[in-house]
Amino acid sequence: MRLQLATWQEVEAYLQRSTGIIMPIGSTEQHGPNGLVGTDAICPEAIAWALGERHDVLIGPTQNLGMAQHHLAFPGTVSLRPSTLIEVLRDTVSSLAHHGFTHVFFLNGHGGNIATVNAAFAEILSERSLSERSLGGQPNGDLQLTLFNWFMGRRGREIAKELYGDAEGGHATPSEVSLSWAAYPEAVKEAAMSPHVAPEGSAQCDALTFRKRFPDGRMGSAPSLACVEHGQRFLEAGVEDALEAYRAFLS
Ligand code: NI
């Protein structure tokens, strides 16, 4: 069930059955010559929506904006600074906890979000700890937070290795481009790319340096290998990987 397509009564009834929710989180950033700007949000969203159709799991609204400052020298990238994203996540989780959700599972599509999401978790949990017993207040209810990166899932990794080997790379990867195309086949792009496999390097830099290091936006990848059929395999693998992680998180 998708939160955006549910009524408040349906959410209330769901909370009687489960207090867990999956929240897709991504980014709006360049993904090389043939990758969609929405790739990092589309991928976890597609996995979450498929999972939510097949299983009784509530899927929250996608956080489409992430921490993507290093991509800002490419048109179309929209980035939140870490402090802003922490505040957004804090209010998001507080809202969910207010309704009785106890297990919030962030399904992430962007490596650049990982440090900030973990900092947000530390911020949220600190706030709760500092306001409860030690300060004489009432203990807060149980709240569990976790981050799962779809692109690190075991099944998906195995398929990427089999299909692309070292040409998978680190950004604008053929696996994520394939998955986004499986979700939106009408948005498949053709683009010439040279060299076939992009140079590797660090993304720990500002936007202008990033563009100099990675002129067409790719990092170590060959997304010309991407196709819709591969994307359908990544979608199925992603649902299995995410479901396994979600069930382990709840238990
Ligand atoms: Ni990406």
Side-chain angles (χ1 to χ4, degrees):
M1 181 166 61
R2 281 165 58 185
L3 182 69
Q4 304 290 71
L5 304 182
T7 64
W8 68 263
Q9 292 95 334
E10 288 172 321
V11 178
E12 190 173 68
Y14 175 85
L15 278 162
Q16 300 300 311
R17 307 192 295 276
S18 173
T19 55
I21 185 167
I22 293 180
M23 300 292 287
I25 178 170
S27 181
T28 298
E29 65 184 47
Q30 70 83 17
H31 267 77
N34 68 346
L36 312 181
V37 168
T39 299
D40 283 356
I42 290 168
C43 291
E45 183 175 79
I47 291 168
W49 287 0
L51 193 159
E53 277 168 19
R54 301 173 197 178
H55 304 276
D56 186 24
V57 178
L58 188 63
I59 310 300
T62 302
Q63 175 59 41
N64 281 291
L65 301 181
M67 209 303 284
Q69 64 79 19
H70 47 296
H71 295 295
L72 277 168
F74 294 88
T77 299
V78 180
S79 177
L80 301 182
R81 63 189 70 210
S83 53
T84 309
L85 183 55
I86 288 170
E87 292 300 293
V88 169
L89 294 175
R90 186 156 80 164
D91 289 357
T92 301
V93 170
S94 296
S95 301
L96 294 170
H98 176 73
H99 302 306
F101 288 97
T102 60
H103 289 68
V104 186
F105 181 98
F106 284 90
L107 181 56
N108 180 41
H110 175 47
N113 282 344
I114 295 172
T116 302
V117 172
N118 282 319
F121 289 175
E123 200 56 63
I124 292 161
L125 297 172
S126 295
E127 196 169 80
R128 294 171 71 86
S129 299
L130 287 165
S131 68
E132 60 186 9
R133 294 180 190 83
S134 56
L135 300 178
Q138 290 299 309
N140 288 315
D142 185 35
L143 178 65
Q144 306 284 329
L145 305 170
T146 200
L147 175 68
F148 180 75
N149 305 298
W150 80 264
F151 50 88
M152 301 294 283
R154 179 178 58 81
R155 294 167 184 82
R157 283 299 81 207
E158 282 171 6
I159 296 171
K161 195 172 176 197
E162 167 206 325
L163 293 175
Y164 314 125
D166 290 342
E168 165 72 353
H171 177 69
T173 63
S175 61
E176 63 180 344
V177 171
S178 292
L179 177 45
S180 72
W181 286 356
Y184 295 95
E186 68 275 24
V188 169
K189 316 284 180 185
E190 293 241 357
M193 281 176 247
S194 177
H196 174 64
V197 179
E200 291 183 25
S202 169
Q204 289 278 20
C205 56
D206 66 17
L208 290 175
T209 307
F210 184 96
R211 184 148 183 174
K212 275 183 206 143
R213 275 182 200 167
F214 310 105
D216 70 3
R218 299 177 294 149
M219 296 176 65
S221 63
S224 52
L225 300 171
C227 67
V228 170
E229 292 70 28
H230 292 173
Q232 286 158 349
R233 291 182 64 188
F234 286 113
L235 180 61
E236 292 307 313
V239 170
E240 290 303 308
D241 284 335
L243 183 63
E244 183 178 80
Y246 181 68
R247 284 187 170 149
F249 174 57
L250 289 189
S251 65

